[in-house]
Amino acid sequence: QNMSQTFSVTGLSCQSCVNHVTSALTALPDVAAVRVDLESGGASTVHIDATRQLADDEVQAALSEEGNYSLVR
């Protein structure tokens, strides 16, 4: 049973950023799908479907590996 979570993430400015972030988050254990609503210059909305609740720190760690992306907490 997948649960959907939504995170606000800053630092995404283009489709390439979206691809990097999507790949990094999809690689996390138990993640089934990732969808990003790009908001260039603001906070993008990241939707993650996973079989468990993801911790903010886990999501931030995956984002940090890809670049200067930050969760808005």
Side-chain angles (χ1 to χ4, degrees):
Q1 178 75 24
N2 283 348
M3 60 179 71
S4 187
Q5 291 172 261
T6 305
F7 299 91
S8 290
V9 180
T10 58
L12 283 76
S13 57
C14 62
Q15 192 58 48
S16 176
C17 298
V18 170
N19 295 344
H20 289 302
V21 165
T22 300
S23 298
L25 295 174
T26 303
L28 289 174
D30 307 314
V31 171
V34 176
R35 193 176 82 255
V36 179
D37 298 332
L38 179 62
E39 188 63 57
S40 186
S44 299
T45 304
V46 178
H47 306 274
I48 303 176
D49 292 336
T51 55
R52 64 182 172 86
Q53 189 84 14
L54 298 176
D56 285 357
D57 290 345
E58 185 179 15
V59 173
Q60 180 61 66
L63 293 171
S64 295
E65 286 176 15
E66 292 302 317
N68 190 22
Y69 309 121
S70 298
L71 270 187
V72 180
R73 301 178 194 240

